[in-house]
Each structure stands twice: as structure tokens, then as C-alpha cells.
Amino acid sequence: MKKTVREIATVIETFAPKGLQESYDNAGLQIGHPDMEVTAVMLCLDVTEEILEEALERRCNLIVSHHPLIFKGLKEITGRTATERIVEKAIRENVAIYSSHTNLDSAKEGVSYEMAHLLNLCNLKVLDPKPADNETGLGIVGDVQPTPKIEFLRKVKDTFKVKALRYSGQSPQLVVRKVAVCSGSGASLIGDAINAGADIIVTGDVKYHDFTSYGLDIIIADIGHFESEIITKVIFSRIIREALPGVETYYSERETNPIKYL
């Protein structure tokens, strides 16, 4: 029996309630009707024109993404931008698009939890917990077996398939025992990581002045935004398969990091 967009959205929001999203966010159903029957689901980080075409080829009429396609709103749909063309084509081809963004970041066992599990951290705590629940919020801090700094940085690089790892070379720490992680853009949590006693914070989108301001207090490892959040596809697949085992899900095979390295 086929499931509806509403049923799939419900299981995702049971795991990552929309109430957890940040005030600036736009998570939820972006395109499509909640009662539409779903043939199959395409999972991705960002919705692109290539991924929409891939969904159509695989007969997926629902795309579930981490980053919202419509983030700041649209004032026109003329086909001038990629977002406008995706909206136009998705409506024409009857493809629904749903996103779970900062609510998935803050959910218990959400994106930063997944990062922590991949690095084999234990004694996990939320770095910046929500007022009502200390198991939800942004970032995770946990313990790891004492590991030499460079060895741990290599592990981070390999685990997240990072092509160019940026880290604070001036940090005096030689051994890593406590680790903070935050998916996406987590530089705002560097101070929280220091206060939590972390030796290192692993995140993305760190600015030059964050390195100069905090590099003597903590090791800062910038693995990139894409690299820290591509694991959201695994989380979406797990949520849907466990709650609705009859629903077919596919990881996009055409998703690529928009940032390239020479």
C-alpha cells in the first residue's frame, strides 16, 4: 500500500519536530499536496535541477532534502533562476519537495549526533541545548580515547571524505580527549565548545577571524558544510525505512559538492 506525502512528513517530523527549527528557517513541505500518494522518495542535501531530473527518471515523486529549496521566499517564477525553474518543473511534473533543516540539526539523534557516532564519541551531551530539553539543540560534545592531534585530524579527514581539511595550526593541544561537533555552519558554537572543555571542534564554514580569535584555546577543524551534512541522507533513509518499510528510498547519485578544490 502506497503512503502519502503527509504520512512521510509525519514520521520525519516525529523524529525532528518542526518546532525545533530556527526562526529564520523554512522547513516542511515546499511543493506538492500532502495527500498525494508517493511512488518513491529521492533523498538529497540540496535540491538541484539535476536531482529533480534524476527523481523523474527513477519515478520518485517526492524529494526529501536537508536544505530548503525555498528559503527566503519567491516574488516571481519566471525561470530566471535555478530555484524558479525547479519550482516550475516540480509543479508541472507533480513532484513534491519536502525539507527538514535546522529541526533535523537540533533533533535527538540528529545530524551532529550522527557525526559524533561516526567519530566513536561517547558520553554525548548537546553543546547548545534547547531550554525545554537538554537532549535537543545544536552541536554535540563527547569523549574519545586519547588520540594524538594529527592522528585525530587524519581520522576526521578520512571519516568525512574531506579533500582539504582546514585546521588551526597554532593550537597548542597535542592530544584530543574531548570533541565537539556541529553540522553545517557551527562557528558560533566555538565558545560553547571551549566552555565545555573540548580539545577540538569539528564543523564547517569557519571564518579566518574565528581561527585567529580562538585558535589558541581550541583546535578548530573546518571540514566543509557539504562534508558535514551529506550524512543527512542516511538519517532520512533510516527514519523512513524504520517507520514505513514499504516505501522505496534512493540516495541521489548526481549530488556533488558545489565547492571544488584544485
Side-chain angles (χ1 to χ4, degrees):
M1 181 177 177
K2 290 181 179 178
K3 301 299 181 181
T4 64
V5 170
R6 187 192 310 276
E7 288 173 288
I8 293 171
T10 296
V11 300
I12 294 174
E13 290 170 19
T14 299
F15 181 92
K18 286 177 67 177
L20 291 177
Q21 72 176 316
E22 299 298 310
S23 59
Y24 58 81
D25 203 4
N26 188 37
L29 184 61
Q30 311 239 303
I31 297 173
H33 196 281
D35 294 326
M36 185 175 74
E37 285 192 347
V38 175
T39 54
V41 185
M42 177 66 65
L43 307 174
C44 61
L45 177 59
D46 296 286
V47 185
T48 65
E49 292 178 275
E50 292 78 14
I51 288 174
L52 175 56
E53 188 60 35
E54 181 183 13
L56 291 169
E57 290 174 9
R58 291 195 174 191
R59 301 184 184 279
C60 299
N61 66 345
L62 172 61
I63 297 174
V64 174
S65 68
H66 184 48
H67 292 148
L69 171 66
I70 303 172
F71 195 74
K72 296 182 179 179
L74 293 173
K75 292 186 177 180
E76 59 186 20
I77 302 177
T78 63
R80 181 178 57 85
T81 67
T83 298
E84 292 173 19
R85 291 191 294 273
I86 292 167
V87 169
E88 183 180 28
K89 188 168 184 176
I91 292 172
R92 185 171 65 246
E93 299 289 349
N94 203 29
V95 175
I97 297 177
Y98 177 94
S99 74
S100 181
H101 189 210
T102 53
N103 48 322
L104 189 67
D105 292 329
S106 285
K108 183 181 179 182
E109 293 300 327
V111 192
S112 292
Y113 275 96
E114 190 74 15
M115 292 177 68
H117 295 321
L118 288 172
L119 292 173
N120 299 315
L121 305 189
C122 60
N123 303 321
L124 304 184
K125 294 181 180 179
V126 177
L127 198 56
D128 182 22
K130 297 286 186 181
D133 182 1
N134 61 12
E135 291 187 323
T136 63
L138 298 174
I140 290 291
V141 62
D143 300 324
V144 70
Q145 287 292 326
T147 309
K149 173 170 66 177
I150 296 302
E151 182 180 333
F152 189 79
L153 287 168
R154 288 196 182 103
K155 178 180 180 179
V156 169
K157 189 173 188 290
D158 292 342
T159 299
F160 296 100
K161 298 178 175 59
V162 180
K163 293 185 177 180
L165 176 63
R166 301 167 67 227
Y167 71 95
S168 51
Q170 76 274 40
S171 299
Q173 293 84 353
L174 298 177
V175 177
V176 173
R177 296 179 176 85
K178 188 177 285 289
V179 180
V181 298
C182 183
S183 59
S185 304
S188 63
L189 298 185
I190 294 175
D192 296 283
I194 293 169
N195 292 335
D199 301 299
I200 184 171
I201 180 168
V202 180
T203 187
D205 295 343
V206 180
K207 296 179 180 178
Y208 175 86
H209 290 294
D210 293 321
F211 284 104
T212 60
S213 297
Y214 300 107
L216 291 175
D217 300 308
I218 190 171
I219 305 165
I220 302 169
D222 185 342
I223 63 174
H225 199 117
F226 179 92
E227 289 83 352
S228 73
E229 292 193 329
I230 194 66
I231 54 176
T232 53
K233 293 192 286 190
V234 175
I235 302 172
F236 286 136
S237 178
R238 187 185 303 140
I239 293 169
I240 296 170
R241 286 178 177 273
E242 288 180 0
L244 304 169
V247 176
E248 287 188 81
T249 61
Y250 297 93
Y251 295 164
S252 170
E253 295 178 355
R254 297 183 190 172
E255 186 151 50
T256 59
N257 192 339
I259 299 172
K260 301 301 180 185
Y261 302 91
L262 283 175

